[in-house]
Amino acid sequence: MASFKFNNVYLKDTYTLATNKECLGHVSNYDKIINDYYFGEKTFEQAEVKMQRYVIDNLLGKNNKIDLVVSGELSNQLSITNATLSHYNIPYLGVYSACASFIESLIVASTFIESKKIKNSLVLTSSHALVAERQFRYPIEYGSPALKRQTKTATGCVGAILTNKKSKIKVTSATLGMTQDYGIKDVNNMGAVMAPAAAITLMQHLNDLGLDIKYYDLIITGDLGRVGTKLFLEFLKNNHLTLKNHLDAGSILYPEDVFEYSGSSGPATLPLVVFNKILKTKKYKKILLIGTGSLHSPTLVNQKSTIPSIAHAISLEVTDDIH
């Protein structure tokens, strides 16, 4: 099976950082808000490194002992995180599933804890709008206009501490995604690219664990955006599943009434919304997180290749009032 359960993994602590742009939608209570993309540095890449170090330092400052860091983000060869972790004497595993990297990191760290190889892990991710634009599309100076169906990368950084000691939020299960390719070549429509992968992973999760689609209080996808969300729900409907307990983090972080394009993307999108909005309410107790990733590179896109995608899922259960 692609799915498995965890019995002894808990979410202990989180720290989130974002810019004031990420405060314009329906999420605003981040631990740290910065006012510009440079964060006092000379380049956007150096700013993203500083963002990561800021999050790590704040989590370590809370007397969190870390046996392993698992991290993934969008830069080539994970260069941002590699630069960051060179300042810390902590074992580190880098992973890449594009915007699904945070969920993959949670799964890897949870597996290490469940197997009793380690006791505590720091899971980290970040994304920076202008680092991603320069790498995947065009430098911002080029002035390329955004398309209506396009999602825009959020700028933020998120760290989470997973542990084997009981807390109010338990990691209960996970499903590993399988790479999907539905022949789409439009790099500006990542929602359409990722929607089938999200739907297939959800169906796999429910089938493997014998769950009804109503089992979860909330199923939240990473960054399908408004275009991708419509296709995701249509894909499920064509497979005789009607999903009413669903939200999309990208559509929440960059809502339609504030941003003209389809929504937010980037691996920071899902945890920014989950940790600063979803888990701050008493409404949801059983939550399934589905991280979605478009697995393309500029080289393959310029060669007119089709774009593969992947989605990983992990479930959280609030076992007590988190306030």
Side-chain angles (χ1 to χ4, degrees):
M1 289 198 307
S3 306
F4 41 88
K5 295 181 178 181
F6 299 113
N7 297 308
N8 197 37
V9 183
Y10 299 87
L11 179 67
K12 178 185 178 184
D13 203 358
T14 66
Y15 195 91
T16 59
L17 177 154
T19 76
N20 48 15
K21 181 179 180 180
E22 282 69 42
C23 298
L24 298 176
H26 303 307
V27 186
S28 60
N29 54 339
Y30 309 106
D31 295 298
K32 173 67 175 179
I33 298 173
I34 61 177
N35 295 320
D36 67 88
Y37 286 122
Y38 283 99
F39 200 14
E41 298 297 315
K42 293 183 178 181
T43 70
F44 303 132
E45 287 75 16
Q46 290 171 357
E48 190 170 352
V49 171
K50 184 177 180 180
M51 288 160 52
Q52 288 193 349
R53 294 189 65 182
Y54 196 97
V55 169
I56 293 174
D57 289 344
N58 274 276
L59 287 171
L60 293 180
K62 297 180 180 180
N63 297 316
N64 287 308
K65 182 180 179 182
I66 305 301
D67 302 311
L68 172 68
V69 174
V70 186
S71 178
E73 29 88 7
L74 296 177
S75 68
N76 285 333
Q77 291 80 50
L78 301 180
S79 56
I80 300 295
T81 308
N82 294 337
T84 297
L85 269 296
S86 67
H87 296 277
Y88 301 89
N89 190 30
I90 306 174
Y92 155 59
L93 288 175
V95 303
Y96 186 81
S97 285
C99 298
S101 293
F102 187 73
I103 301 303
E104 181 182 356
S105 298
L106 287 175
I107 294 172
V108 171
S110 296
T111 302
F112 270 92
I113 293 172
E114 182 74 10
S115 66
K116 300 182 179 180
K117 302 297 183 184
I118 63 171
K119 295 180 180 179
N120 304 283
S121 178
L122 190 158
V123 177
L124 181 74
T125 196
S126 65
S127 52
H128 191 296
L130 303 187
V131 173
E133 284 297 317
R134 177 154 53 200
Q135 179 170 298
F136 289 105
R137 297 187 182 99
Y138 301 99
I140 195 68
E141 295 84 358
Y142 183 81
S144 176
L147 302 174
K148 186 75 173 180
R149 62 183 179 276
Q150 184 175 320
T151 53
K152 300 289 283 185
T153 307
T155 300
C157 183
V158 179
I161 305 293
L162 296 183
T163 181
N164 63 354
K165 294 183 180 180
K166 288 185 178 181
S167 74
K168 297 176 181 179
I169 301 175
K170 184 177 182 180
V171 180
T172 54
S173 65
T175 297
L176 302 177
M178 294 173 280
T179 305
Q180 308 294 329
D181 190 336
Y182 275 65
I184 299 172
K185 298 181 179 181
D186 184 2
V187 73
N188 293 305
N189 196 355
M190 291 192 297
V193 171
M194 300 183 296
I200 290 169
T201 294
L202 173 57
M203 292 187 293
Q204 185 78 51
H205 180 83
L206 298 174
N207 183 67
D208 286 352
L209 299 178
L211 300 176
D212 185 85
I213 201 165
K214 298 178 182 178
Y215 174 81
Y216 290 103
D217 300 317
L218 176 67
I219 296 170
I220 181 166
T221 47
D223 51 353
L224 295 177
R226 283 170 283 282
V227 173
T229 295
K230 292 179 181 178
L231 295 172
F232 169 67
L233 296 176
E234 183 177 341
F235 193 107
L236 291 173
K237 187 176 181 179
N238 290 337
N239 284 274
H240 311 292
L241 288 173
T242 300
L243 187 57
K244 296 182 179 180
N245 52 339
H246 170 257
L247 293 173
D248 179 69
S251 302
I252 295 172
L253 192 62
Y254 287 179
E256 191 171 16
D257 57 345
V258 179
F259 300 92
E260 292 183 354
Y261 31 83
S262 182
S264 167
S265 59
T269 294
L270 180 56
L272 283 176
V273 173
V274 170
F275 296 152
N276 292 285
K277 184 175 179 67
I278 303 304
L279 289 178
K280 296 295 184 182
T281 73
K282 299 180 181 180
K283 186 176 181 180
Y284 308 111
K285 298 297 182 182
K286 296 179 180 179
I287 308 166
L288 182 67
L289 284 59
I290 304 177
T292 48
S294 178
L295 304 177
H296 65 277
S297 72
T299 300
L300 293 178
V301 169
N302 290 334
Q303 293 173 354
K304 309 300 181 184
S305 298
T306 57
I307 304 173
S309 66
I310 199 162
H312 302 298
I314 198 163
S315 61
L316 304 178
E317 183 174 345
V318 180
T319 59
D320 196 3
D321 183 4
I322 65 173
H323 297 285

